[in-house]
Amino acid sequence: MSTDDTYPTKYAEYEDMFDPMQTDRQARRQRRTRRNPTPRKEPDEAVAELADTTGLEAGFHPTYQAARHEEQWLLSSLSGFYDQQLITDVVAQVKGGKEASVYRCLAHPLTGVEFLAAKVYRPRMYRTMRNDYVYREGREILASDGKEVKKNDSRTMRAIGKKTAFGVQVSQTSWLMHEYATMQMLYQAGADVPRPVEAAENAVLMSYHGDEHMAAPTLNGVRLPLREATALWGQVLYNIDLMLSLGKIHGDLSAYNILYWEGKITLIDFPQVTDCYNNPNAYDILRRDIWRVGEYFQSQGVRCVPDAVLEELWKRHVRVSPRDLLADLSVLEAERDEEEDSD
Ligand SMILES: Nc1ncnc2c1ncn2[C@@H]1O[C@H](COP(=O)(O)OP(=O)(O)OP(=O)(O)O)[C@@H](O)[C@H]1O
Ligand SMILES: [Mg+2]
């Protein structure tokens, strides 16, 4: 898991598991001539088998009663966190979505907290992200160790392009690692985001916001007194500004992706985070983010002007990109050198 070299081997196993006939021509020929071929496993069966040999054997029996298919996926996705002594149980589902579900887990005593939240991506969630290229521009593909997949790794790149089972898994893991890496960066910079604890191929573990009765609601379901709403609008802008100072745009910011608990906000849901210098759609993505949150705060009586905020923040952080600045500086240097030569 920890070096680039182990990456193809690790995913080769995945590929075999989901589609044993994928790329290995030799194996394909052998399979054709085999007298008693082992029937090909369906993905569900493969996941079930994986769950049987990981979580269950290791004693991981979540209290949360999930549907059979969800339970197997849950076990295979979270048993690593159990083995690492980060969680001891899954007690409730906070929210089930099309792409990911979030669970409240009992934290291991060694972590020093009572609960942790696990966001578990559904198998093949990638397929529902039809416009993902809008966000992907300017982003590298990340493997589950958080390292960049090399562009000359033609097997992986081809699989991603063709959306084979293996390629889809790599894309999904890359989305997840972007989410995790962004949370780490923002948390360290002091932004209002969950504390990232650990990442695995299909899941991210982070601080849980809420208590044993309920998870923190998202802002869209919260009515705020004007004074508090004004202060929180300022706090949201502080976070957008901080992200821009790190070269990032949330990409899916709205009142639906901001938690509210005990007067504090927490920005969540980062897989679509976008680079503000290298993505040609950056301005439009930032505009949509600011407008969406702005509309919520307007509904709470705050007199905010999203376009004015957008112009100010864009001017402050992005208008001169580091690349343009470097180019300008090198022109200046060349001119100075010319002048010195002519003296
Ligand atoms: N750290 C957390 N603590 C408590 N609740 C959380 C946490 N993270 C997420 N949630 C809850 O889980 C929901 C889904 O999380 P998130 O927005 O990250 O996933 P999603 O893929 O966008 O799902 P959805 O499409 O349902 O919004 C959130 O709306 C929130 O209610
Ligand atoms: Mg969300």
Side-chain angles (χ1 to χ4, degrees):
M1 259 224 188
S2 56
T3 66
D4 279 355
D5 294 337
T6 57
Y7 177 74
T9 327
K10 188 164 104 124
Y11 279 102
E13 280 168 22
Y14 238 109
E15 191 174 55
D16 288 346
M17 187 172 86
F18 282 107
D19 187 353
M21 310 283 267
Q22 202 81 293
T23 50
D24 189 337
R25 295 227 167 91
Q26 217 178 353
R28 195 178 297 189
R29 257 180 259 126
Q30 281 170 5
R31 279 192 178 98
R32 263 192 213 133
T33 53
R34 213 194 284 163
R35 290 225 174 105
N36 298 313
T38 321
R40 187 183 140 179
K41 285 185 197 107
E42 291 302 318
D44 282 5
E45 279 179 73
V47 170
E49 220 167 76
L50 190 70
D52 284 349
T53 54
T54 53
L56 289 177
E57 228 171 57
F60 182 37
H61 302 283
T63 306
Y64 169 69
Q65 289 292 307
R68 189 174 145 69
H69 177 263
E70 186 197 358
E71 186 187 0
Q72 287 155 358
W73 185 249
L74 206 60
L75 279 173
S76 66
S77 303
L78 299 184
S79 59
F81 299 150
Y82 176 86
D83 294 341
Q84 287 169 281
Q85 302 197 316
L86 294 169
I87 60 170
T88 57
D89 196 3
V90 183
V91 281
Q93 188 186 59
V94 174
K95 193 157 177 244
K98 276 201 299 282
E99 282 150 13
S101 296
V102 174
Y103 300 88
R104 176 159 59 89
C105 302
L106 268 191
H108 192 283
L110 288 173
T111 63
V113 291
E114 193 178 357
F115 300 116
L116 286 170
K119 180 171 178 176
V120 180
Y121 282 88
R122 293 209 173 290
R124 317 278 168 97
M125 68 73 137
Y126 175 82
R127 279 182 187 167
T128 64
M129 293 200 154
R130 286 198 197 96
N131 294 324
D132 80 318
Y133 66 90
V134 174
Y135 304 96
R136 216 174 43 206
E137 281 190 67
R139 279 186 12 170
E140 61 286 355
I141 303 285
L142 296 182
S144 62
D145 55 6
K147 289 185 182 157
E148 194 178 332
V149 176
K150 303 223 167 58
K151 298 269 180 327
N152 62 6
D153 178 351
S154 53
R155 178 174 174 243
T156 306
M157 289 302 170
R158 214 172 35 240
I160 293 169
K162 287 189 171 173
K163 295 195 180 178
T164 64
F166 162 63
V168 168
Q169 176 64 45
V170 173
S171 298
Q172 175 171 322
T173 300
S174 179
W175 274 97
L176 189 148
M177 290 315 298
H178 273 287
E179 173 154 34
Y180 189 68
T182 305
M183 278 170 63
Q184 278 181 316
M185 180 209 264
L186 294 177
Y187 184 76
Q188 277 159 19
D192 297 309
V193 300
R195 178 173 65 87
V197 175
E198 183 59 290
E201 254 162 45
N202 298 308
V204 169
L205 194 63
M206 60 187 136
S207 57
Y208 168 79
H209 299 256
D211 61 20
E212 71 273 35
H213 304 296
M214 65 177 282
T218 46
L219 258 190
N220 59 293
V222 178
R223 282 200 62 80
L224 296 168
L226 182 57
R227 185 187 285 261
E228 192 182 5
T230 307
L232 291 184
W233 167 239
Q235 196 61 23
V236 169
L237 294 183
Y238 168 79
N239 279 277
I240 297 176
D241 181 72
L242 183 60
M243 285 190 79
L244 284 169
S245 75
L246 299 166
K248 303 289 174 199
I249 301 170
H250 185 289
D252 191 21
L253 196 61
S254 74
Y256 291 86
N257 278 330
I258 301 177
L259 301 177
Y260 175 82
W261 191 251
E262 295 175 344
K264 292 210 168 68
I265 53 161
T266 305
L267 276 57
I268 57 165
D269 205 4
F270 297 95
Q272 292 177 120
V273 74
T274 297
D275 189 299
C276 71
Y277 300 119
N278 295 325
N279 188 321
N281 306 305
Y283 184 83
D284 291 336
I285 295 173
L286 179 64
R287 182 170 195 275
R288 197 183 54 188
D289 275 5
I290 293 176
W291 265 94
R292 280 187 180 163
V293 269
E295 276 166 3
Y296 166 77
F297 283 101
Q298 282 171 348
S299 77
Q300 303 301 301
V302 180
R303 292 173 63 189
C304 53
V305 185
D307 274 339
V309 168
L310 171 71
E311 287 311 316
E312 171 59 26
L313 290 179
W314 186 259
K315 190 170 71 194
R316 198 184 287 181
H317 295 286
V318 199
R319 193 162 283 168
V320 183
S321 73
R323 212 187 296 153
D324 293 346
L325 195 60
L326 269 184
D328 289 352
L329 288 177
S330 59
V331 170
L332 285 178
E333 274 171 17
E335 283 173 0
R336 199 191 53 209
D337 290 348
E338 261 176 41
E339 276 170 23
E340 280 173 4
D341 287 349
S342 65
D343 284 347

